[in-house]
Amino acid sequence: MISAKTLKAIEYDKIMQKVSSFAVLQASKDYLTSFMPVSDLSEAEFLLKQTNEAYSLLYNHNVSGIYFFDDISEELQRVDKGGTLINGELLKVASNLKSARLLRTGILTVNDEKICLLSEIAERLYVNQDFEKEISSKIISDDEISDNASPKLYAIRKSIRNINARIREQLNSYMRGNMSKYLQDGVVTMRRDRYVIPVKSEYRSFVKGFIHDQSSSGATVFIEPEHVMELNNDLKSAMLDEANEIHRILAELSSRVAGMSQALRYNAQNISEIDVCFARAYYSFNGKCTFPILNDKGIMNIKRGRHPLIDVDAVVPVSIELGKNFNFLLVTGPNTGGKTVTLKLTGLISLMAMSGLYIPASDESEVSVFNGVYCDIGDEQSIEQSLSTFSSHIKNIINILNNVDNKSLVLLDEIGAGTDPEEGSALALAIIERLLELNCFGIITTHYSRLKEFAVENKAIENASMEFDAKTLSPMYKLNIGIPGSSNAIDIAKTLGIDESIIVKANSYLSNDKISFENVLKKAEESRREAERATAELEKIKAEKQSELKKIEEERIKIEKEREKIYNTAKQETKRIVADKLAEAEEIIDELKSILKRVGLESKEIFRAGELRNRLKNSRYLSAEVDSGPIELIKADENLKVGCRVYVKSLGAYAVVSSIRKNKKEAEVLIGNIKTVVKLFDLFNPEKQEKKNNKVELSKSSTTPSLPKRELNVIGKTSSEAIDELITFIDQAIINNLEEIKVIHGVGEGILLKEIRNYLKTDKNVLEYRRGKYGEGENGVTIIRLK
């Protein structure tokens, strides 16, 4: 139950008046100004969902608002009875159809599955664009119908224009001819819808025709000359035909309106319903309001709530908690500190949510839907209300106590005031106890210390105070929950200039308990404010440090990205060089083979082959196989040492570790003659894999490599074949970091021995070579030490 008196006391009517100003149709305005908040949770959620959809349509999907049209209920009643509408009334019908068409199109073209409630209303709108255009094309204004409204009307009006022209031509002949001397002036005028000329009264007998009128002085008579009488008759007849045709057109259009009158009535109702939703959304947007979370358990958690009737730039936000840990707030503090505004704000925000409106608070504020809202507010600051007597307050409270239940919100301002303070505080305490027994919810404002003490002891009611600057004795308009406030009446009186002797006398009349209690409150308030200042400073420092840490982290990420970019660039460049050198090596090998096959073993060509081979040896480090990397390899473990042979997965090539940087988790490796830095996680140990599986799978299509060979047997080979295999053998030995290898060539005639040692003299990778010792093969082998 919510009475009109309660709504007015909380100023709900002013809010709805503002909301109605955003509506387009008068019916919508009337509905909003008389709207009563709903007390059912599902109904309130439904209204809020409608408002939310309207908000989305207007501000997310840019749907236009309502196109205005006048109420046509009376016109529709008349056409239902066979009446004919005039021009302006038919234009109202066209506006109804146009508004429905624009609204339906605007909403239904939005592709958003969340817009369902208003889409359902839009689908019900009746649209007849052909008839809408027909009315607009035939009726130009409230006073004019188009010549093209019908072919017959067009012909009639053409005839009228022709007759008018002939009449004027006849009358103008009087102006120009001998008859002009009888005329009062040279103006053609009309009397009784017939063309006449002004003739001097004394010459009336000289102009044959019918006298229609005379001037007030009698000096002029208005005569219809006999020569134009017939034409005037034709004109009159044509004008009657015009009027009949216009009436026929209007009657036909009205008859068609009658056939759709019920649909037009539904249009007005449905458009008005959407207009109401749009008005709520417009108000919510302009008031910087937010979508509230609803419940029906009495829980209020208003975050930074603002009174909607106070200017946004001037209002101080207030946070209010109620219904979760306690049912009532007892708000204390000095006068003009904002207690009554906070009281009204709580009820007003709840009623706004119960009316489908967003609330003036921060996001995620929670509001309860109540079965009834009751208040007793004697606002001495409002010039719109006269002061209530104590008896009227008590009568009001009696009504409240007789009607509240566990889903009611009760707002009592200055409970027990207006009578003896001792009796008033006792009565107030008894009323509060009864309210707590009824398990309802609410806010009570007071100055009574006895009630503050009661709130300290009782868990169902919590003290709260309006913040007050003890030094300047000025209100801060901030609500502090959990702390009772001091009235500071004597201090304020002192600040305002009352005589010091009166202040001293007043303090002497205070009881010791009262003085002690007030001093405790003041000290508690000062301590709390000091703690708040310290907390604010700490928060500021914390925010600054967090900002610095954020900048450092951003810089670290930036450096890491730059480093990764440089690393990737180097890796790509390495692969490109490897590919180029491999291609060059292939060309050299092909040319060597061609020379050897073409000229055999002649020393001159062999020397040329040696030069080419030296070029190939200088690029030997690039013969490392570049692949997508091994499919199954064991990661290099922590025992990785300098000189270890590893596989670099990202480069797809084997390398030798030249240095390790454990703190940076990276290593410098040598791929042939190229040094590069790679991450440790990119290194794999193929030798362990060889021990485990006796193979290292480089790719799905590659063959399984064996352990590096340390000796080469060329017995039975030609010199060119032997040299060719020796070159490859030395390359593989270098790639596999072998220091010493053996070539088995046999003794025979010494030809292979000679050619092999001649070649070894030219190979820059050979440190030295010797014949085999006893047990190594003696003259049948050559032992080679590599650089």
Side-chain angles (χ1 to χ4, degrees), residues 343-579:
L343 190 82
K344 289 183 176 182
L345 172 64
T346 304
L348 195 51
I349 283 183
S350 182
L351 293 175
M352 289 174 69
M354 292 160 65
S355 301
L357 291 168
Y358 286 13
I359 61 172
S362 296
D363 288 329
E364 297 185 357
S365 291
E366 191 169 3
V367 180
S368 179
V369 173
F370 295 100
N371 289 344
V373 176
Y374 303 88
C375 74
D376 181 66
I377 300 175
D379 191 354
E380 296 178 359
Q381 300 171 30
S382 175
I383 62 174
E384 298 176 4
Q385 296 185 23
S386 60
L387 296 179
S388 300
T389 63
F390 176 74
S391 59
S392 65
H393 280 299
I394 294 301
K395 191 173 181 179
N396 195 17
I397 290 174
I398 291 171
N399 179 63
I400 293 172
L401 294 174
N402 290 335
N403 288 282
V404 296
D405 58 19
N406 62 352
K407 289 187 178 294
S408 297
L409 177 67
V410 179
L411 306 169
L412 302 179
D413 190 28
E414 300 294 351
I415 186 171
T419 187
D420 176 74
E422 187 174 350
E423 290 185 5
S425 63
L427 182 60
L429 183 58
I431 292 170
I432 291 174
E433 287 180 333
R434 173 59 62 86
L435 290 172
L436 294 180
E437 289 173 5
L438 293 169
N439 203 28
C440 54
F441 305 86
I443 296 181
I444 298 171
T445 68
T446 187
H447 289 287
Y448 293 141
S449 296
R450 189 173 182 181
L451 301 186
K452 303 174 193 177
E453 294 169 4
F454 174 77
V456 171
E457 298 169 356
N458 197 303
K459 293 183 179 180
I461 184 169
E462 181 64 82
N463 270 306
S465 60
M466 303 306 300
E467 188 165 326
F468 192 77
D469 193 321
K471 294 181 180 179
T472 63
L473 296 179
S474 57
M476 307 295 288
Y477 305 108
K478 179 183 177 183
L479 182 68
N480 295 315
I481 296 175
I483 303 173
S486 177
S487 297
N488 295 292
I490 295 177
D491 291 336
I492 292 173
K494 181 179 179 181
T495 303
L496 293 175
I498 199 167
D499 189 270
E500 181 67 27
S501 61
I502 296 175
I503 298 297
V504 172
K505 184 69 72 173
N507 281 322
S508 69
Y509 290 145
L510 291 176
S511 66
N512 292 332
D513 290 342
K514 171 69 176 177
I515 294 172
S516 176
F517 185 70
E518 291 297 323
N519 287 337
V520 168
L521 290 182
K522 289 177 182 178
K523 289 180 180 179
E525 176 64 13
E526 290 174 3
S527 299
R528 185 194 61 78
R529 294 193 64 194
E530 187 62 35
E532 278 193 354
R533 280 193 291 269
T535 301
E537 290 178 6
L538 287 174
E539 287 295 328
K540 183 179 178 182
I541 294 172
K542 180 181 177 182
E544 290 174 354
K545 295 303 178 184
Q546 286 178 340
S547 178
E548 290 176 7
L549 287 173
K550 185 179 178 181
K551 289 180 180 178
I552 292 171
E553 180 63 17
E554 289 174 352
E555 191 65 26
R556 186 192 67 76
I557 293 172
K558 183 179 177 182
I559 293 171
E560 192 66 31
K561 287 182 178 178
E562 287 294 327
R563 182 180 178 187
E564 189 68 25
K565 183 179 178 182
I566 294 170
Y567 171 74
N568 288 334
T569 302
K571 183 170 69 174
Q572 294 298 325
E573 183 64 15
T574 301
K575 287 187 176 183
R576 186 189 65 77
I577 294 171
V578 168

Side-chain angles (χ1 to χ4, degrees), residues 12-13 32 34 48 60 85 95 106 141 173 197 213 331 340 548 551-552 574 577 592 627 638 640 674 682 694 720 779:
Y12 171 83
D13 57 324
L32 287 166
S34 61
L48 268 173
N60 296 336
L85 303 180
S95 294
S141 67
S173 66
I197 56 176
D213 198 4
V331 183
T340 303
E548 290 176 7
K551 289 180 180 178
I552 292 171
T574 301
I577 294 171
L592 277 169
D627 204 329
E638 295 180 355
L640 184 69
I674 293 179
D682 200 25
N694 294 323
S720 60
N779 290 331

Side-chain angles (χ1 to χ4, degrees), residues 615-781:
R615 282 178 58 198
L616 180 59
K617 282 187 293 183
N618 290 335
S619 301
R620 72 187 185 281
Y621 57 86
L622 298 171
S623 63
E625 188 173 356
V626 179
D627 204 329
S628 60
I631 294 174
E632 294 182 3
L633 289 172
I634 297 175
K635 272 194 174 183
D637 54 26
E638 295 180 355
N639 297 321
L640 184 69
K641 296 179 181 178
V642 174
C644 288
R645 178 173 174 269
V646 292
Y647 184 84
V648 185
K649 186 175 181 181
S650 60
L651 298 177
Y654 289 99
V656 176
V657 178
S658 58
S659 68
I660 300 173
R661 306 167 185 170
K662 288 189 177 181
N663 59 330
K664 294 184 178 181
K665 296 182 179 181
E666 60 187 23
E668 185 180 80
V669 298
L670 183 66
I671 304 176
N673 290 337
I674 293 179
K675 282 187 178 181
T676 186
V677 176
V678 295
K679 297 292 184 183
L680 291 178
F681 62 73
D682 200 25
L683 301 180
F684 292 83
N685 192 336
E687 286 147 352
K688 288 189 176 183
Q689 181 72 7
E690 286 163 3
K691 292 177 182 179
K692 182 178 180 180
N693 297 329
N694 294 323
K695 64 178 182 179
V696 178
E697 189 176 354
L698 294 180
S699 69
K700 291 182 180 179
S701 59
S702 63
T703 58
T704 303
S706 59
L707 293 172
K709 294 181 180 180
R710 295 183 176 273
E711 60 181 43
L712 173 67
N713 190 338
V714 294
I715 295 174
K717 307 285 186 180
T718 64
S719 296
S720 60
E721 289 173 344
I723 295 298
D724 207 18
E725 289 188 17
L726 177 60
I727 292 170
T728 302
F729 180 51
I730 292 174
D731 284 344
Q732 292 298 325
I734 290 171
I735 290 173
N736 289 287
N737 288 324
L738 299 181
E739 294 181 359
E740 187 175 275
I741 56 176
K742 179 193 293 186
V743 179
I744 303 171
H745 43 69
V747 179
E749 297 178 0
I751 296 175
L752 279 179
L753 173 63
K754 181 179 178 182
E755 294 297 335
I756 287 172
R757 292 187 178 178
N758 285 338
Y759 170 74
L760 293 176
K761 292 176 184 178
T762 63
D763 195 324
K764 295 179 180 180
N765 294 300
V766 175
L767 180 64
E768 62 182 10
Y769 59 89
R770 61 177 174 80
R771 64 185 288 276
K773 298 178 181 178
Y774 178 77
E776 289 181 327
E778 300 180 11
N779 290 331
V781 301

Side-chain angles (χ1 to χ4, degrees), residues 599-619:
V599 300
L601 298 176
E602 293 182 13
S603 59
K604 185 177 180 181
E605 293 299 335
I606 289 175
F607 180 74
R608 169 62 179 157
E611 288 181 345
L612 291 173
R613 182 54 190 156
N614 289 338
R615 282 178 58 198
L616 180 59
K617 282 187 293 183
N618 290 335
S619 301

